[in-house]
């Protein structure tokens, strides 16, 4: 693949990140209040980003430019351009200053039929345009209860690793157990750590410097459980849904991230 800045032995800088995923929420005035309060908050000791719906990218750029808070999108097309009505390309996201784009969120896999191969192609398009793909993966409750967690997330991860090759070092992973998303039932810190360690080991087996990879946890993270989750050695921060829509909660989660 060609990327914006291809380098041999490339790697992302592992860092603690707290990323908000607004999903299909927002309205101009409410967004402005939320973005202004994020901008006004004291500098975080971690990277902070918000992934907003496409129509609000211009607003996020206007209100966050020059601040410590980055912005991104929740999906991109697997195609570069063309007759794909309704799709948004990674290059277009770059035009709006996005630093990140989520790919493979379980809601897209489940509700929009996205396959592992499509998710991998989206991650590739993002890297080509200089964006960091945040590749989401996770098992269903049925898979967990059937002892299939590693097999399920392994297939999702391998598709991305095979397509991206050495460039996979520049992605971010987000482990989001499907049963924990929006359910109020987070994975325990131990469950998250166990899966994150599995993911890191699997990435390393593909010859990628897994110690340099950021792996986020997502699924019912809130101000009360963020500290425990983020304290795990292989958990490099979180991907936050509902709690990212409330400025005070999101700020409190950001403050739970370890300072480096
Ligand atoms: P909740 O934090 O609302 O459970 O959502 C998690 C998520 O899907 C983030 O991408």
């Amino acid at each position: 693949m060609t990327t914006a800045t291809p380098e041999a032995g490339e790697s992302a800088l592992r860092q603690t990140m707290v990323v908000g995923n607004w999903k299909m929420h927002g309205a101009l005035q409410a967004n402005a209040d939320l973005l202004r309060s994020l901008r006004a908050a004291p500098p975080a000791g971690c990277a902070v980003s918000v992934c907003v719906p496409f129509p609000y990218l211009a607003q996020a750029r206007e209100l966050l430019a020059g601040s410590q808070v980055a912005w991104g999108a929740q999906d991109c097309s697997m195609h570069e351009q063309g007759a794909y009505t309704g799709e948004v390309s990674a290059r277009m996201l770059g035009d709006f200053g996005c630093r990140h784009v989520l790919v493979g969120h379980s809601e897209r896999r489940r509700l929009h039929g996205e396959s592992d191969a499509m998710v991998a192609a989206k991650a590739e398009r993002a890297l080509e345009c200089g964006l960091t793909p945040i590749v989401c993966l996770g098992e269903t409750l049925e898979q967990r209860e059937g002892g299939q967690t590693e097999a399920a997330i392994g297939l999702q991860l391998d598709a991305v690793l095979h397509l991206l090759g050495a460039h996979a070092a520049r992605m971010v992973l987000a482990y989001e157990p499907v049963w924990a998303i929006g359910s109020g039932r987070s994975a325990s810190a131990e469950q998250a750590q166990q899966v994150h360690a599995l993911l890191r080991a699997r990435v390393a087996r593909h010859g990628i410097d897994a110690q340099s990879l950021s792996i986020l946890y997502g699924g019912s993270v809130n101000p009360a459980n963020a500290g425990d989750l983020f304290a795990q050695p292989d958990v490099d921060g979180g991907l936050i849904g509902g709690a990212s829509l409330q400025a005070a909660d999101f700020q409190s989660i950001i403050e739970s991230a370890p300072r480096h």
Side-chain angles (χ1 to χ4, degrees), residues 65-142:
S67 79
Q68 310 246 1
V69 182
W71 60 95
Q74 301 168 15
D75 184 31
C76 67
S77 174
M78 61 186 278
H79 304 288
E80 283 175 37
Q81 63 172 354
Y84 302 105
T85 301
E87 290 281 271
V88 173
S89 72
R91 185 188 54 72
M92 294 170 188
L93 300 180
D95 282 346
F96 283 86
C98 290
R99 190 172 301 166
H100 307 107
V101 57
L102 307 181
V103 296
H105 192 282
S106 69
E107 286 150 16
R108 295 217 55 90
R109 292 180 189 264
R110 189 164 47 88
L111 303 172
H112 300 271
E114 291 191 8
S115 66
D116 294 343
M118 290 164 71
V119 173
K122 289 176 180 216
E124 186 177 43
R125 292 292 87 70
L127 285 176
E128 285 169 354
C129 295
L131 304 180
T132 299
I134 300 178
V135 178
C136 305
L137 29 79
E139 81 288 1
T140 62
L141 188 59
E142 197 182 5

Side-chain angles (χ1 to χ4, degrees), residues 92-258:
M92 294 170 188
L93 300 180
D95 282 346
F96 283 86
C98 290
R99 190 172 301 166
H100 307 107
V101 57
L102 307 181
V103 296
H105 192 282
S106 69
E107 286 150 16
R108 295 217 55 90
R109 292 180 189 264
R110 189 164 47 88
L111 303 172
H112 300 271
E114 291 191 8
S115 66
D116 294 343
M118 290 164 71
V119 173
K122 289 176 180 216
E124 186 177 43
R125 292 292 87 70
L127 285 176
E128 285 169 354
C129 295
L131 304 180
T132 299
I134 300 178
V135 178
C136 305
L137 29 79
E139 81 288 1
T140 62
L141 188 59
E142 197 182 5
Q143 287 166 331
R144 174 162 282 269
E145 288 177 344
Q148 295 299 309
T149 298
E150 185 172 3
I153 60 173
L155 283 177
Q156 294 169 354
L157 178 60
D158 287 355
V160 178
L161 292 172
H162 282 131
L163 188 68
L164 299 187
H167 299 290
R170 293 197 290 128
M171 67 181 177
V172 166
L173 287 179
Y175 168 54
E176 297 206 309
V178 177
W179 46 272
I181 293 176
S183 65
R185 179 185 163 198
S186 166
S188 67
E190 296 70 28
Q191 286 171 323
Q193 167 56 26
Q194 192 184 32
V195 174
H196 283 226
L198 282 175
L199 289 169
R200 213 178 285 286
R202 200 166 182 115
V203 168
R205 284 205 294 278
H206 284 256
I208 307 274
D209 176 11
Q211 290 307 321
S212 297
L213 198 75
S214 299
I215 309 182
L216 314 183
Y217 168 78
S220 296
V221 178
N222 60 42
N225 61 22
D228 264 2
L229 287 160
F230 296 172
Q232 301 304 307
D234 286 297
V235 177
D236 302 311
L239 180 55
I240 320 299
S244 72
L245 298 169
Q246 306 297 329
D249 284 356
F250 194 50
Q251 195 56 41
S252 161
I253 290 169
I254 291 167
E255 282 160 18
S256 306

Side-chain angles (χ1 to χ4, degrees), residues 5-25:
T5 49
E7 297 287 342
E10 60 194 316
S11 72
L13 183 65
R14 182 170 171 185
Q15 57 181 344
T16 307
M17 299 172 69
V18 176
V19 179
N21 173 9
W22 289 7
K23 308 193 180 186
M24 200 175 72
H25 294 288

